[in-house]
Amino acid sequence: MTTATAPLSTAKDEASIRAIMDAWARAIEAKNLDALMAHYAPDVLLYDLKPPYKIVGVPAYKAMWEACLPYFPQKFRSVSRDINLVVGADTAFVSYLNKFEVDGEPHPCAGSWIRVTAGFKKISGKWLIVHEHVSLPYNPMNNTVVQITDPNNTTFDWGAACAEAAPK
Amino acid sequence: MTTATAPLSTAKDEASIRAIMDAWARAIEAKNLDALMAHYAPDVLLYDLKPPYKIVGVPAYKAMWEACLPYFPQKFRSVSRDINLVVGADTAFVSYLNKFEVDGEPHPCAGSWIRVTAGFKKISGKWLIVHEHVSLPYNPMNNTVVQITDPNNTTFDWGAACAEAAPK
């Protein structure tokens, strides 16, 4: 007989979601797209960092990675920080910063921390990602993306940004 | 005595969250920041469209709007579409497109649909927004934001984008 209580259940669900986040990182590092896609619901909705503005469903999501991975370095690490988990009985979401790290030469895929929000549903007893939102902010003065090089710096110098964006 | 079942409860919670989304729109249209902020948890985490990359807590969130609203047109409508609600017993999230619409002259605040993900928690019986992620995608070839002018168009011409971004 189980003696699990609600708080214990939440702790177990939190652990399950952290395990999925870890498995996701290991799968992308291995460029193993079948392992990666196993964590997604069939009708997942992705708001990605780059266009198109939305991607719907596992086949389209997988095709996006198949198109991108050839431009990735052979070896990289997927790391995350500032993880905020909100876990209910069958619905959960998490927000965090993620980064691909490389050794040696800088690589365009590893330039910035990016913001990720992932939404989960427990479907037939298994947590799956049903929604993912990945982004960077941009400066509306010049429509240029603003990279997150130092996540501990949460200020932004709008005066300097306006001066930079002004016509020369 | 209540005869509510789980599905009825979900329908009620979905209605509550849709009502919050509607009240949010009416509050921003009225530039009523106290009404707007009433829907947020005290420690809300915002990933906004523009820097800084994160804003934490109601006072900082309110200060952001206080700084922005003077640049908004006097009258505008906040409209949303493609609403995807995932509602659990005490945790929920929603993704959708939002736009500020103006009559007459075009306005920089009303140029594009934007992507929104909002995460909710039921706290002391009341649904509050604990996380919001607002963004547009960008073209990594030239680091320029890509506006969503036609949400029905979910393709992107990477060839044309690369050609545009290439040095002239």
Side-chain angles (χ1 to χ4, degrees), chain A residues 75-97:
Chain A
K75 284 196 171 186
F76 62 94
R77 294 176 301 280
S78 173
V79 293
S80 57
R81 56 169 280 172
D82 300 348
I83 298 169
N84 293 287
L85 263 176
V86 178
V87 180
D90 53 6
T91 307
F93 56 89
V94 57
S95 57
Y96 58 101
L97 297 182

Side-chain angles (χ1 to χ4, degrees), chain A residues 62-79:
Chain A
K62 190 178 178 186
M64 178 277 286
W65 272 119
E66 281 169 344
C68 287
L69 278 180
Y71 299 97
F72 270 56
Q74 198 180 359
K75 284 196 171 186
F76 62 94
R77 294 176 301 280
S78 173
V79 293

Side-chain angles (χ1 to χ4, degrees), chain A residues 45 47-53 84 88 91-93 95-96 115 117 131 133 135 137-138 143-145 151 154 156 158, chain B residues 45 47-53 84 88 91-93 95-96 115 117 131 133 135 137-138 143-145 151 154 156 158:
Chain A
L45 167 65
Y47 291 162
D48 198 9
L49 198 61
K50 59 195 181 310
Y53 82 88
N84 293 287
T91 307
F93 56 89
S95 57
Y96 58 101
R115 310 178 298 186
T117 300
H131 173 53
H133 190 157
S135 83
Y138 78 97
N143 285 334
T144 299
V145 76
T154 55
F156 184 75
W158 281 102
Chain B
L45 166 65
Y47 292 162
D48 198 10
L49 197 60
K50 59 195 181 311
Y53 81 89
N84 293 286
T91 307
F93 55 90
S95 57
Y96 58 101
R115 311 178 298 187
T117 301
H131 173 53
H133 190 157
S135 82
Y138 78 97
N143 286 334
T144 299
V145 75
T154 54
F156 185 74
W158 281 104

Side-chain angles (χ1 to χ4, degrees), chain A residues 89-155:
Chain A
D90 53 6
T91 307
F93 56 89
V94 57
S95 57
Y96 58 101
L97 297 182
N98 199 74
K99 191 180 187 181
F100 297 139
E101 286 184 346
V102 292
D103 294 324
E105 289 292 299
H107 190 282
C109 299
S112 176
W113 290 93
I114 57 176
R115 310 178 298 186
V116 183
T117 300
F120 294 77
K121 258 183 92 166
K122 200 191 266 180
I123 300 169
S124 303
K126 189 181 168 190
W127 286 104
L128 291 173
I129 305 169
V130 297
H131 173 53
E132 223 167 47
H133 190 157
V134 187
S135 83
L136 282 172
Y138 78 97
N139 178 356
M141 302 299 297
N142 59 9
N143 285 334
T144 299
V145 76
V146 178
Q147 298 204 330
I148 306 166
T149 48
D150 175 10
N152 295 320
N153 181 4
T154 55
T155 60

